[in-house]
Short mmCIF file of all heavy atoms in Angstrom, two decimals:
data_model
loop_
_atom_site.label_atom_id
_atom_site.label_comp_id
_atom_site.label_asym_id
_atom_site.label_seq_id
_atom_site.Cartn_x
_atom_site.Cartn_y
_atom_site.Cartn_z
N MET I 1 92.36 96.14 106.27
CA MET I 1 91.94 97.26 105.40
C MET I 1 92.15 98.52 106.16
O MET I 1 91.59 98.71 107.32
CB MET I 1 90.57 97.08 105.01
CG MET I 1 90.24 95.76 104.31
SD MET I 1 89.60 95.96 102.67
CE MET I 1 88.03 96.68 102.95
N MET I 2 92.88 99.52 105.71
CA MET I 2 93.16 100.70 106.35
C MET I 2 93.05 101.90 105.34
O MET I 2 93.17 101.73 104.17
CB MET I 2 94.55 100.72 107.07
CG MET I 2 94.67 99.71 108.09
SD MET I 2 96.20 99.89 109.00
CE MET I 2 96.00 101.38 109.80
N LYS I 3 92.71 103.03 105.98
CA LYS I 3 92.75 104.28 105.10
C LYS I 3 93.97 105.08 105.44
O LYS I 3 94.48 104.99 106.50
CB LYS I 3 91.51 105.05 105.39
CG LYS I 3 90.26 104.34 105.15
CD LYS I 3 88.96 105.06 105.48
CE LYS I 3 87.73 104.20 105.07
NZ LYS I 3 86.53 105.01 105.27
N PHE I 4 94.45 105.79 104.42
CA PHE I 4 95.72 106.57 104.63
C PHE I 4 95.54 107.97 104.10
O PHE I 4 94.68 108.27 103.27
CB PHE I 4 96.81 105.79 103.81
CG PHE I 4 97.15 104.49 104.36
CD1 PHE I 4 96.46 103.35 103.83
CD2 PHE I 4 98.13 104.34 105.25
CE1 PHE I 4 96.75 102.06 104.36
CE2 PHE I 4 98.43 103.04 105.74
CZ PHE I 4 97.75 102.01 105.29
N SER I 5 96.52 108.78 104.57
CA SER I 5 96.56 110.20 103.98
C SER I 5 98.04 110.53 103.77
O SER I 5 98.91 110.08 104.46
CB SER I 5 95.91 111.13 105.03
OG SER I 5 96.65 111.22 106.20
N ALA I 6 98.19 111.38 102.79
CA ALA I 6 99.56 111.85 102.51
C ALA I 6 99.46 113.32 102.09
O ALA I 6 98.54 113.68 101.32
CB ALA I 6 100.21 111.06 101.35
N GLY I 7 100.39 114.16 102.54
CA GLY I 7 100.34 115.61 102.20
C GLY I 7 99.04 116.22 102.72
O GLY I 7 98.66 117.23 102.18
N GLY I 8 98.47 115.73 103.78
CA GLY I 8 97.29 116.26 104.35
C GLY I 8 95.97 115.95 103.64
O GLY I 8 94.93 116.44 104.02
N ALA I 9 96.08 115.08 102.66
CA ALA I 9 94.91 114.66 101.86
C ALA I 9 94.62 113.18 101.97
O ALA I 9 95.65 112.39 102.00
CB ALA I 9 94.94 115.07 100.44
N SER I 10 93.38 112.74 102.10
CA SER I 10 93.16 111.33 102.21
C SER I 10 93.36 110.65 100.84
O SER I 10 93.16 111.33 99.84
CB SER I 10 91.76 111.02 102.69
OG SER I 10 90.80 111.61 101.78
N ILE I 11 93.89 109.48 100.88
CA ILE I 11 94.28 108.84 99.56
C ILE I 11 93.15 107.97 99.10
O ILE I 11 92.62 107.19 99.86
CB ILE I 11 95.54 107.91 99.84
CG1 ILE I 11 96.70 108.80 100.26
CG2 ILE I 11 95.87 107.15 98.59
CD1 ILE I 11 97.92 107.98 100.74
N GLN I 12 92.89 108.21 97.80
CA GLN I 12 91.85 107.44 97.13
C GLN I 12 92.50 106.73 95.92
O GLN I 12 93.46 107.36 95.36
CB GLN I 12 90.65 108.24 96.69
CG GLN I 12 89.72 108.65 97.74
CD GLN I 12 88.50 109.30 97.17
OE1 GLN I 12 88.52 110.10 96.31
NE2 GLN I 12 87.35 108.85 97.77
N CYS I 13 92.11 105.52 95.56
CA CYS I 13 92.67 104.88 94.37
C CYS I 13 92.42 105.64 93.15
O CYS I 13 91.26 106.01 92.86
CB CYS I 13 92.03 103.50 94.28
SG CYS I 13 92.60 102.59 92.85
N PRO I 14 93.40 105.98 92.34
CA PRO I 14 93.12 106.67 91.09
C PRO I 14 92.49 105.90 90.10
O PRO I 14 91.96 106.41 89.05
CB PRO I 14 94.59 107.08 90.69
CG PRO I 14 95.53 105.96 91.29
CD PRO I 14 94.83 105.59 92.55
N CYS I 15 92.44 104.55 90.23
CA CYS I 15 91.72 103.70 89.27
C CYS I 15 90.22 103.57 89.55
O CYS I 15 89.43 103.87 88.73
CB CYS I 15 92.36 102.35 89.31
SG CYS I 15 93.52 102.00 88.06
N CYS I 16 89.89 103.17 90.77
CA CYS I 16 88.54 102.88 91.09
C CYS I 16 87.86 103.82 92.12
O CYS I 16 86.70 103.72 92.45
CB CYS I 16 88.35 101.41 91.48
SG CYS I 16 89.08 100.98 93.10
N GLY I 17 88.72 104.65 92.75
CA GLY I 17 88.18 105.54 93.76
C GLY I 17 87.99 104.92 95.11
O GLY I 17 87.48 105.69 96.01
N TYR I 18 88.44 103.74 95.36
CA TYR I 18 88.30 103.11 96.61
C TYR I 18 89.25 103.76 97.69
O TYR I 18 90.24 104.35 97.25
CB TYR I 18 88.55 101.58 96.47
CG TYR I 18 87.95 100.78 97.55
CD1 TYR I 18 86.63 100.79 97.89
CD2 TYR I 18 88.78 99.76 98.19
CE1 TYR I 18 86.08 99.96 98.78
CE2 TYR I 18 88.17 98.92 99.19
CZ TYR I 18 86.85 99.01 99.47
OH TYR I 18 86.31 98.24 100.39
N ASP I 19 88.97 103.56 98.96
CA ASP I 19 89.76 104.32 99.82
C ASP I 19 90.41 103.39 101.04
O ASP I 19 90.84 103.87 101.98
CB ASP I 19 89.03 105.39 100.55
CG ASP I 19 87.82 104.89 101.35
OD1 ASP I 19 87.53 103.66 101.37
OD2 ASP I 19 87.12 105.63 101.98
N SER I 20 90.40 102.10 100.79
CA SER I 20 91.01 101.15 101.73
C SER I 20 92.18 100.44 101.03
O SER I 20 92.04 99.89 99.90
CB SER I 20 90.07 100.10 102.24
OG SER I 20 89.13 100.75 103.09
N PHE I 21 93.33 100.34 101.66
CA PHE I 21 94.53 99.84 101.09
C PHE I 21 95.22 98.91 102.08
O PHE I 21 95.11 99.07 103.28
CB PHE I 21 95.53 100.97 100.70
CG PHE I 21 94.94 101.95 99.72
CD1 PHE I 21 94.17 103.04 100.15
CD2 PHE I 21 95.21 101.87 98.40
CE1 PHE I 21 93.67 103.96 99.28
CE2 PHE I 21 94.59 102.74 97.50
CZ PHE I 21 93.84 103.85 97.91
N GLU I 22 96.07 98.04 101.54
CA GLU I 22 97.00 97.25 102.30
C GLU I 22 98.39 97.85 102.13
O GLU I 22 98.74 98.22 100.94
CB GLU I 22 97.05 95.85 101.81
CG GLU I 22 97.94 94.96 102.67
CD GLU I 22 97.95 93.47 102.12
OE1 GLU I 22 96.91 93.08 101.42
OE2 GLU I 22 98.88 92.79 102.41
N LYS I 23 99.13 98.02 103.27
CA LYS I 23 100.40 98.72 103.13
C LYS I 23 101.51 97.67 103.06
O LYS I 23 101.48 96.61 103.73
CB LYS I 23 100.65 99.62 104.37
CG LYS I 23 101.98 100.40 104.31
CD LYS I 23 101.99 101.38 105.46
CE LYS I 23 102.22 100.69 106.77
NZ LYS I 23 102.33 101.59 107.87
N ASP I 24 102.54 97.98 102.19
CA ASP I 24 103.70 97.05 102.11
C ASP I 24 104.91 97.89 101.72
O ASP I 24 104.72 99.14 101.50
CB ASP I 24 103.44 96.02 101.10
CG ASP I 24 104.27 94.78 101.31
OD1 ASP I 24 105.23 94.79 102.13
OD2 ASP I 24 103.97 93.68 100.76
N TYR I 25 106.05 97.26 101.69
CA TYR I 25 107.29 98.00 101.39
C TYR I 25 108.05 97.29 100.28
O TYR I 25 108.02 96.04 100.12
CB TYR I 25 108.23 98.14 102.55
CG TYR I 25 107.60 98.71 103.76
CD1 TYR I 25 106.94 98.03 104.69
CD2 TYR I 25 107.62 100.15 103.86
CE1 TYR I 25 106.35 98.63 105.78
CE2 TYR I 25 107.00 100.71 105.00
CZ TYR I 25 106.38 100.01 105.95
OH TYR I 25 105.75 100.55 106.99
N ARG I 26 108.68 98.05 99.45
CA ARG I 26 109.47 97.49 98.33
C ARG I 26 110.74 98.21 98.17
O ARG I 26 110.82 99.44 98.35
CB ARG I 26 108.72 97.67 96.99
CG ARG I 26 107.53 96.69 96.85
CD ARG I 26 107.99 95.29 96.73
NE ARG I 26 106.79 94.36 96.56
CZ ARG I 26 106.08 93.87 97.55
NH1 ARG I 26 106.37 94.18 98.78
NH2 ARG I 26 105.03 93.05 97.23
N GLN I 27 111.82 97.41 97.84
CA GLN I 27 113.05 98.06 97.58
C GLN I 27 113.09 98.72 96.21
O GLN I 27 112.52 98.18 95.27
CB GLN I 27 114.17 97.01 97.57
CG GLN I 27 114.60 96.51 98.92
CD GLN I 27 115.82 97.32 99.40
OE1 GLN I 27 116.47 97.97 98.67
NE2 GLN I 27 116.03 97.39 100.76
N LEU I 28 113.63 99.94 96.11
CA LEU I 28 113.65 100.64 94.89
C LEU I 28 114.91 100.25 94.10
O LEU I 28 114.93 100.50 92.86
CB LEU I 28 113.61 102.15 95.11
CG LEU I 28 112.29 102.72 95.58
CD1 LEU I 28 112.41 104.16 95.86
CD2 LEU I 28 111.26 102.45 94.58
N ASN I 29 115.90 99.73 94.73
CA ASN I 29 117.14 99.58 94.02
C ASN I 29 117.03 98.40 93.08
O ASN I 29 116.30 97.44 93.21
CB ASN I 29 118.36 99.36 94.97
CG ASN I 29 118.14 98.02 95.80
OD1 ASN I 29 117.06 97.76 96.28
ND2 ASN I 29 119.17 97.20 95.98
N SER I 30 117.76 98.46 92.01
CA SER I 30 117.95 97.32 91.04
C SER I 30 119.35 97.16 90.71
O SER I 30 120.19 98.06 90.95
CB SER I 30 117.13 97.61 89.81
OG SER I 30 117.69 98.77 89.11
N ARG I 31 119.69 96.05 90.11
CA ARG I 31 121.13 95.85 89.71
C ARG I 31 121.57 96.96 88.78
O ARG I 31 122.68 97.44 88.86
CB ARG I 31 121.19 94.46 89.00
CG ARG I 31 121.57 93.40 89.91
CD ARG I 31 121.70 92.03 89.24
NE ARG I 31 121.33 90.93 90.00
CZ ARG I 31 121.05 89.70 89.55
NH1 ARG I 31 121.23 89.50 88.27
NH2 ARG I 31 120.65 88.78 90.33
N GLY I 32 120.79 97.35 87.86
CA GLY I 32 121.10 98.37 86.93
C GLY I 32 121.51 99.68 87.65
O GLY I 32 122.45 100.31 87.31
N ALA I 33 120.67 99.95 88.54
CA ALA I 33 120.85 101.30 89.31
C ALA I 33 122.16 101.25 90.10
O ALA I 33 122.89 102.20 90.13
CB ALA I 33 119.71 101.61 90.20
N SER I 34 122.42 100.08 90.69
CA SER I 34 123.68 99.95 91.50
C SER I 34 124.89 99.98 90.61
O SER I 34 125.92 100.59 90.84
CB SER I 34 123.63 98.67 92.27
OG SER I 34 122.66 98.67 93.25
N PHE I 35 124.80 99.31 89.47
CA PHE I 35 125.84 99.32 88.51
C PHE I 35 126.19 100.70 88.04
O PHE I 35 127.32 101.04 87.78
CB PHE I 35 125.50 98.35 87.34
CG PHE I 35 126.60 98.26 86.30
CD1 PHE I 35 127.70 97.53 86.56
CD2 PHE I 35 126.44 98.92 85.01
CE1 PHE I 35 128.70 97.49 85.59
CE2 PHE I 35 127.42 98.85 84.04
CZ PHE I 35 128.57 98.05 84.33
N LEU I 36 125.24 101.52 87.90
CA LEU I 36 125.49 102.85 87.36
C LEU I 36 125.76 103.82 88.48
O LEU I 36 126.02 105.02 88.20
CB LEU I 36 124.15 103.43 86.70
CG LEU I 36 123.80 102.67 85.37
CD1 LEU I 36 122.46 103.02 84.84
CD2 LEU I 36 124.81 102.91 84.27
N GLY I 37 125.86 103.30 89.70
CA GLY I 37 126.36 104.15 90.80
C GLY I 37 125.21 105.07 91.34
O GLY I 37 125.46 106.03 91.99
N LEU I 38 123.97 104.71 91.02
CA LEU I 38 122.76 105.51 91.49
C LEU I 38 122.47 104.99 92.87
O LEU I 38 121.31 104.47 93.09
CB LEU I 38 121.67 105.43 90.50
CG LEU I 38 122.01 105.87 89.09
CD1 LEU I 38 120.85 105.58 88.17
CD2 LEU I 38 122.35 107.43 89.07
N ASP I 39 123.27 105.33 93.92
CA ASP I 39 122.99 104.80 95.14
C ASP I 39 121.84 105.41 95.86
O ASP I 39 121.18 104.91 96.85
CB ASP I 39 124.23 104.91 96.11
CG ASP I 39 125.30 103.97 95.63
OD1 ASP I 39 124.98 102.88 95.10
OD2 ASP I 39 126.51 104.21 95.90
N TRP I 40 121.40 106.61 95.36
CA TRP I 40 120.17 107.23 95.88
C TRP I 40 118.98 106.36 95.69
O TRP I 40 118.03 106.50 96.29
CB TRP I 40 119.98 108.57 95.32
CG TRP I 40 119.96 108.52 93.80
CD1 TRP I 40 120.94 108.74 92.96
CD2 TRP I 40 118.79 108.29 92.98
NE1 TRP I 40 120.54 108.69 91.68
CE2 TRP I 40 119.23 108.33 91.66
CE3 TRP I 40 117.45 107.99 93.25
CZ2 TRP I 40 118.38 108.12 90.60
CZ3 TRP I 40 116.59 107.75 92.18
CH2 TRP I 40 117.13 107.80 90.82
N ALA I 41 119.11 105.42 94.72
CA ALA I 41 117.94 104.61 94.38
C ALA I 41 117.82 103.39 95.38
O ALA I 41 116.83 102.78 95.37
CB ALA I 41 118.07 104.01 92.96
N ASN I 42 118.86 103.22 96.21
CA ASN I 42 118.78 102.04 97.14
C ASN I 42 117.98 102.40 98.34
O ASN I 42 118.49 102.55 99.49
CB ASN I 42 120.20 101.69 97.53
CG ASN I 42 120.97 101.03 96.35
OD1 ASN I 42 120.37 100.50 95.48
ND2 ASN I 42 122.25 101.13 96.44
N LYS I 43 116.70 102.57 98.25
CA LYS I 43 115.83 103.01 99.31
C LYS I 43 114.63 102.11 99.31
O LYS I 43 114.28 101.49 98.32
CB LYS I 43 115.42 104.48 99.18
CG LYS I 43 116.57 105.46 99.38
CD LYS I 43 116.01 106.89 99.19
CE LYS I 43 117.17 107.92 99.53
NZ LYS I 43 116.62 109.19 99.39
N ASN I 44 113.85 102.20 100.39
CA ASN I 44 112.56 101.55 100.49
C ASN I 44 111.49 102.51 100.12
O ASN I 44 111.55 103.67 100.63
CB ASN I 44 112.28 100.99 101.94
CG ASN I 44 112.91 99.64 102.10
OD1 ASN I 44 112.92 98.77 101.22
ND2 ASN I 44 113.49 99.37 103.27
N ALA I 45 110.60 102.11 99.37
CA ALA I 45 109.32 102.83 99.11
C ALA I 45 108.20 102.14 99.79
O ALA I 45 108.18 100.95 100.02
CB ALA I 45 109.08 102.93 97.62
N THR I 46 107.21 102.93 100.21
CA THR I 46 106.01 102.48 100.72
C THR I 46 104.96 102.28 99.58
O THR I 46 104.86 103.17 98.72
CB THR I 46 105.35 103.43 101.77
OG1 THR I 46 106.32 103.62 102.79
CG2 THR I 46 104.16 102.78 102.40
N ILE I 47 104.36 101.07 99.56
CA ILE I 47 103.36 100.93 98.55
C ILE I 47 102.00 100.66 99.21
O ILE I 47 101.97 100.03 100.28
CB ILE I 47 103.62 99.76 97.58
CG1 ILE I 47 103.73 98.38 98.23
CG2 ILE I 47 104.97 100.04 96.82
CD1 ILE I 47 103.79 97.25 97.35
N LEU I 48 100.98 101.15 98.57
CA LEU I 48 99.64 100.89 99.03
C LEU I 48 98.80 100.15 97.99
O LEU I 48 98.79 100.69 96.83
CB LEU I 48 98.88 102.19 99.39
CG LEU I 48 99.43 103.07 100.49
CD1 LEU I 48 98.60 104.37 100.74
CD2 LEU I 48 99.54 102.28 101.75
N ILE I 49 98.33 99.04 98.29
CA ILE I 49 97.60 98.25 97.35
C ILE I 49 96.10 98.37 97.54
O ILE I 49 95.48 98.05 98.62
CB ILE I 49 97.98 96.75 97.46
CG1 ILE I 49 99.50 96.58 97.44
CG2 ILE I 49 97.31 95.89 96.40
CD1 ILE I 49 100.04 95.52 98.39
N CYS I 50 95.39 98.86 96.51
CA CYS I 50 93.99 99.05 96.56
C CYS I 50 93.38 97.68 96.81
O CYS I 50 93.60 96.69 96.20
CB CYS I 50 93.48 99.64 95.31
SG CYS I 50 91.69 99.76 95.22
N GLN I 51 92.41 97.69 97.81
CA GLN I 51 91.72 96.37 98.19
C GLN I 51 90.57 96.07 97.27
O GLN I 51 89.89 95.03 97.42
CB GLN I 51 91.20 96.50 99.69
CG GLN I 51 92.34 96.62 100.69
CD GLN I 51 93.23 95.41 100.66
OE1 GLN I 51 92.89 94.30 101.17
NE2 GLN I 51 94.41 95.53 99.99
N ARG I 52 90.25 96.94 96.33
CA ARG I 52 89.17 96.62 95.40
C ARG I 52 89.79 96.21 94.01
O ARG I 52 89.42 95.13 93.51
CB ARG I 52 88.31 97.85 95.17
CG ARG I 52 87.13 97.58 94.15
CD ARG I 52 86.36 98.79 93.91
NE ARG I 52 85.35 98.94 94.94
CZ ARG I 52 84.62 100.15 95.03
NH1 ARG I 52 84.87 101.18 94.28
NH2 ARG I 52 83.75 100.23 95.93
N CYS I 53 90.76 97.02 93.50
CA CYS I 53 91.19 96.70 92.12
C CYS I 53 92.59 96.32 92.05
O CYS I 53 93.08 96.00 90.95
CB CYS I 53 90.94 97.90 91.26
SG CYS I 53 92.08 99.27 91.48
N SER I 54 93.33 96.29 93.19
CA SER I 54 94.75 95.82 93.34
C SER I 54 95.78 96.88 92.68
O SER I 54 96.86 96.52 92.47
CB SER I 54 94.95 94.50 92.76
OG SER I 54 95.17 94.48 91.31
N HIS I 55 95.33 98.08 92.29
CA HIS I 55 96.24 99.10 91.87
C HIS I 55 97.24 99.34 92.95
O HIS I 55 96.91 99.36 94.15
CB HIS I 55 95.48 100.38 91.56
CG HIS I 55 96.29 101.57 91.19
ND1 HIS I 55 96.86 101.72 89.97
CD2 HIS I 55 96.82 102.56 91.95
CE1 HIS I 55 97.62 102.82 89.99
NE2 HIS I 55 97.57 103.30 91.15
N ILE I 56 98.52 99.60 92.55
CA ILE I 56 99.53 99.85 93.54
C ILE I 56 99.97 101.32 93.45
O ILE I 56 100.31 101.85 92.36
CB ILE I 56 100.83 99.00 93.27
CG1 ILE I 56 100.38 97.52 93.57
CG2 ILE I 56 101.95 99.37 94.26
CD1 ILE I 56 101.60 96.61 93.28
N ALA I 57 99.89 102.03 94.61
CA ALA I 57 100.40 103.50 94.57
C ALA I 57 101.72 103.47 95.32
O ALA I 57 101.87 102.82 96.38
CB ALA I 57 99.35 104.34 95.32
N TRP I 58 102.67 104.16 94.83
CA TRP I 58 104.01 104.20 95.37
C TRP I 58 104.32 105.53 96.08
O TRP I 58 103.91 106.59 95.61
CB TRP I 58 105.09 104.05 94.30
CG TRP I 58 105.09 102.77 93.63
CD1 TRP I 58 104.25 102.20 92.81
CD2 TRP I 58 106.11 101.74 93.80
NE1 TRP I 58 104.63 100.95 92.38
CE2 TRP I 58 105.76 100.71 93.06
CE3 TRP I 58 107.33 101.67 94.64
CZ2 TRP I 58 106.56 99.51 92.98
CZ3 TRP I 58 108.07 100.53 94.57
CH2 TRP I 58 107.71 99.46 93.79
N PHE I 59 104.92 105.48 97.31
CA PHE I 59 105.21 106.67 98.04
C PHE I 59 106.70 106.63 98.53
O PHE I 59 107.05 105.60 99.10
CB PHE I 59 104.29 106.82 99.28
CG PHE I 59 102.87 107.00 98.87
CD1 PHE I 59 102.00 105.96 98.60
CD2 PHE I 59 102.34 108.30 98.76
CE1 PHE I 59 100.73 106.11 98.20
CE2 PHE I 59 101.03 108.54 98.33
CZ PHE I 59 100.20 107.36 98.07
N MET I 60 107.37 107.67 98.39
CA MET I 60 108.76 107.77 98.98
C MET I 60 108.74 107.99 100.49
O MET I 60 109.60 107.58 101.22
CB MET I 60 109.54 108.90 98.32
CG MET I 60 110.01 108.60 96.93
SD MET I 60 110.99 107.08 96.75
CE MET I 60 112.40 107.53 97.81
N HIS I 61 107.69 108.66 100.93
CA HIS I 61 107.53 108.94 102.35
C HIS I 61 106.23 108.17 102.81
O HIS I 61 105.25 108.21 102.09
CB HIS I 61 107.40 110.40 102.74
CG HIS I 61 108.59 111.23 102.31
ND1 HIS I 61 109.85 111.05 102.85
CD2 HIS I 61 108.76 112.12 101.30
CE1 HIS I 61 110.66 111.87 102.25
NE2 HIS I 61 110.03 112.55 101.30
N GLU I 62 106.32 107.44 103.93
CA GLU I 62 105.21 106.59 104.31
C GLU I 62 104.03 107.45 104.62
O GLU I 62 104.06 108.37 105.47
CB GLU I 62 105.63 105.83 105.58
CG GLU I 62 104.64 104.88 105.99
CD GLU I 62 105.22 103.86 107.01
OE1 GLU I 62 106.39 103.66 106.96
OE2 GLU I 62 104.41 103.16 107.69
N PRO I 63 102.90 107.06 103.98
CA PRO I 63 101.64 107.85 104.24
C PRO I 63 101.17 107.58 105.66
O PRO I 63 101.51 106.54 106.26
CB PRO I 63 100.70 107.22 103.28
CG PRO I 63 101.51 106.51 102.27
CD PRO I 63 102.74 106.18 102.95
N LEU I 64 100.46 108.50 106.23
CA LEU I 64 99.81 108.32 107.61
C LEU I 64 98.64 107.47 107.44
O LEU I 64 97.86 107.58 106.58
CB LEU I 64 99.41 109.67 108.16
CG LEU I 64 100.57 110.66 108.33
CD1 LEU I 64 99.98 112.11 108.73
CD2 LEU I 64 101.51 110.32 109.35
N SER I 65 98.48 106.55 108.48
CA SER I 65 97.31 105.76 108.44
C SER I 65 96.23 106.36 109.39
O SER I 65 96.54 106.96 110.36
CB SER I 65 97.65 104.34 109.03
OG SER I 65 98.16 104.40 110.29
N SER I 66 94.99 106.22 108.93
CA SER I 66 93.90 106.78 109.75
C SER I 66 92.74 105.77 109.54
O SER I 66 92.35 105.46 108.46
CB SER I 66 93.45 108.07 109.15
OG SER I 66 93.15 108.13 107.86
N ARG I 67 92.37 105.28 110.72
CA ARG I 67 91.25 104.25 110.67
C ARG I 67 89.86 104.93 110.55
O ARG I 67 89.64 105.88 111.14
CB ARG I 67 91.34 103.33 111.90
CG ARG I 67 92.71 102.73 112.10
CD ARG I 67 92.65 101.65 113.10
NE ARG I 67 91.85 100.48 112.61
CZ ARG I 67 92.58 99.41 112.29
NH1 ARG I 67 93.76 99.32 112.35
NH2 ARG I 67 91.86 98.39 111.82
ZN1 ZN X 101 91.33 100.68 93.15
#
């Protein structure tokens, strides 16, 4: 369980207001995007999973972790 901040503000879950998340990564590309030539979509996004309600928040730039 870790706390994070992005853009200079601490991140809270928009669903339940909790402030501890698990960090993971997901590919943004899909077959459809590649077929259409949208190569800018072939990137990794950082996701934070709320440890209380499991809401997933997506970030293009990795949030800073702060314990
Ligand atoms: Zn939550």
Side-chain angles (χ1 to χ4, degrees):
M1 303 240 292
M2 294 186 70
K3 300 180 179 185
F4 295 89
S5 64
S10 61
I11 297 170
Q12 286 189 317
C13 176
C15 260
C16 70
Y18 204 51
D19 62 356
S20 289
F21 300 86
E22 182 180 339
K23 186 173 69 176
D24 205 346
Y25 301 93
R26 287 292 183 274
Q27 282 270 338
L28 287 177
N29 63 319
S30 66
R31 268 184 215 163
S34 296
F35 179 73
L36 293 170
L38 300 175
D39 289 334
W40 54 266
N42 293 332
K43 290 182 175 180
N44 275 320
T46 305
I47 63 171
L48 297 182
I49 305 148
C50 175
Q51 295 297 284
R52 178 185 278 168
C53 75
S54 83
H55 174 82
I56 297 177
W58 291 75
F59 295 87
M60 285 303 297
H61 301 293
E62 186 165 339
L64 300 171
S65 60
S66 55
R67 302 192 74 105

